Amino acid sequence: MKDNAYKFIAVVSLVYTVWAGFMSDVPHLPVLNETIRNLYFHVPMWFGMIILLFVSMWHSIKYLATSNTYHDIRAEMFARTGIVYGILGLLTGMVWAKFTWGEWWSNDPKQNASAIGLLLYFAYLILRNSFNEFSQKARISSVYNILAFMALIPLLFILPRLVDSLHPGNGGNPGFGNYDLDGRMRVVFYPAILGWTLLGVWITSLKVKFKIVEENLAEKQMIG
C-alpha cells in the first residue's frame, strides 16, 4: 500500500493541475495574457527533468561504488524518462515563445542551452549502445552520466544569466516569482511540479521492471 501512495498522489495532483490549469483564474498581464497557464506544464517539466536526471546520476555513482547491475538499469531508465521530460519542456517552451516572443525558436540563450543539454543526454544513450560488453558499457556510461549532469546545471542555470535573454529570470529579466506568481497560481503550480515529477518516477519504475524482465529472459535464453 505504501508503494502505491505516490501513485495516488501523482494522479490526484495531475487531475487537479489539468483542471485548475485551464479553469482557474490567472493574472492578466501584458503580452502573456492566457499563455501564463503554460507555467503549470512547461516549468514543471523542467523541474521533473532535473530531478529525474539527478536520480539517474546518483544511481550511476552507486553503480561505480558497488558494480550492482540494478543501479545501472535505474540510471539508464531515469535518464530516458528525464530526456522525454526535457523534450516536452522544450516543446511547451516553443509554444509559449511563439505567442509571447513571436517565434517558435528565437535563439534565446536559455533555448539554446536547453537544446545542448538534451544533446548531451542523447549522446549518453548513443554511448551506451556502442558497447557490447556490459561491465565496460556500464562503467563508461556511468562516468559520462555524472559529467553530463554536472555540465547540465551551468548550462541551464548559470550561463543564460550571464547574457541578454528574453526568458524570465535570465539576462536581467525578473523571474515569475517576482511579479506574477501570486497565491492563485501557487496553489496550482506546486502540485503541478509534484504531480509531473511523481508521474516520471512511476513511469521509470515500470520501465525498470520491464528491463529487469528482459535481462532475465535474455540470460535464460543464453543458458538454454
Side-chain angles (χ1 to χ4, degrees):
M1 186 65 180
K2 291 181 179 179
D3 293 338
N4 293 323
Y6 80 93
K7 300 175 184 178
F8 175 77
I9 295 172
V11 171
V12 172
S13 297
L14 290 178
V15 169
Y16 170 69
T17 296
V18 172
W19 177 82
F22 289 104
M23 302 301 295
S24 63
D25 292 331
V26 294
H28 294 284
L29 302 174
V31 181
L32 289 174
N33 298 312
E34 290 294 321
T35 68
I36 199 172
R37 296 181 186 276
N38 200 14
L39 183 75
Y40 305 137
F41 306 96
H42 170 64
V43 179
M45 290 298 168
W46 289 114
F47 271 94
M49 181 195 74
I50 294 297
I51 293 170
L52 293 169
L53 294 180
F54 173 80
V55 175
S56 173
M57 179 198 68
W58 174 251
H59 280 289
S60 288
I61 294 173
K62 294 288 288 183
Y63 175 80
L64 292 175
T66 65
S67 296
N68 188 329
T69 304
Y70 174 75
H71 290 300
D72 180 67
I73 293 174
R74 289 182 68 84
E76 179 187 2
M77 294 306 146
F78 270 102
R80 287 182 179 274
T81 308
I83 290 171
V84 172
Y85 269 49
I87 294 172
L88 292 175
L90 206 60
L91 292 176
T92 52
M94 289 171 61
V95 172
W96 208 350
K98 174 62 177 177
F99 289 96
T100 55
W101 302 344
E103 295 178 309
W104 297 101
W105 195 272
S106 59
N107 285 319
D108 182 78
K110 195 64 173 280
Q111 284 183 319
N112 292 337
S114 301
I116 293 171
L118 282 176
L119 289 176
L120 288 175
Y121 277 91
F122 284 135
Y124 166 75
L125 298 182
I126 295 172
L127 179 66
R128 290 191 64 89
N129 291 326
S130 63
F131 296 97
N132 293 322
E133 203 275 317
F134 172 77
S135 61
Q136 185 183 33
K137 173 178 69 175
R139 287 196 306 272
I140 294 177
S141 61
S142 292
V143 173
Y144 181 91
N145 193 19
I146 296 168
L147 295 176
F149 187 82
M150 293 174 63
L152 184 68
I153 299 305
L155 274 173
L156 295 184
F157 300 109
I158 298 177
L159 295 180
R161 296 177 182 272
L162 302 179
V163 295
D164 291 334
S165 174
L166 296 169
H167 198 279
N170 295 283
N173 291 324
F176 280 106
N178 292 335
Y179 61 89
D180 59 10
L181 191 56
D182 63 9
R184 288 172 294 174
M185 297 197 71
R186 292 179 192 276
V187 296
V188 183
F189 179 64
Y190 295 127
I193 294 175
L194 178 64
W196 289 117
T197 301
L198 290 180
L199 178 64
V201 173
W202 188 356
I203 292 172
T204 305
S205 67
L206 293 175
K207 293 170 68 175
V208 168
K209 291 177 181 178
F210 280 122
K211 183 67 173 180
I212 291 174
V213 170
E214 287 180 359
E215 295 286 343
N216 291 336
L217 289 175
E219 184 177 348
K220 289 180 179 179
Q221 289 177 354
M222 291 180 62
I223 295 175

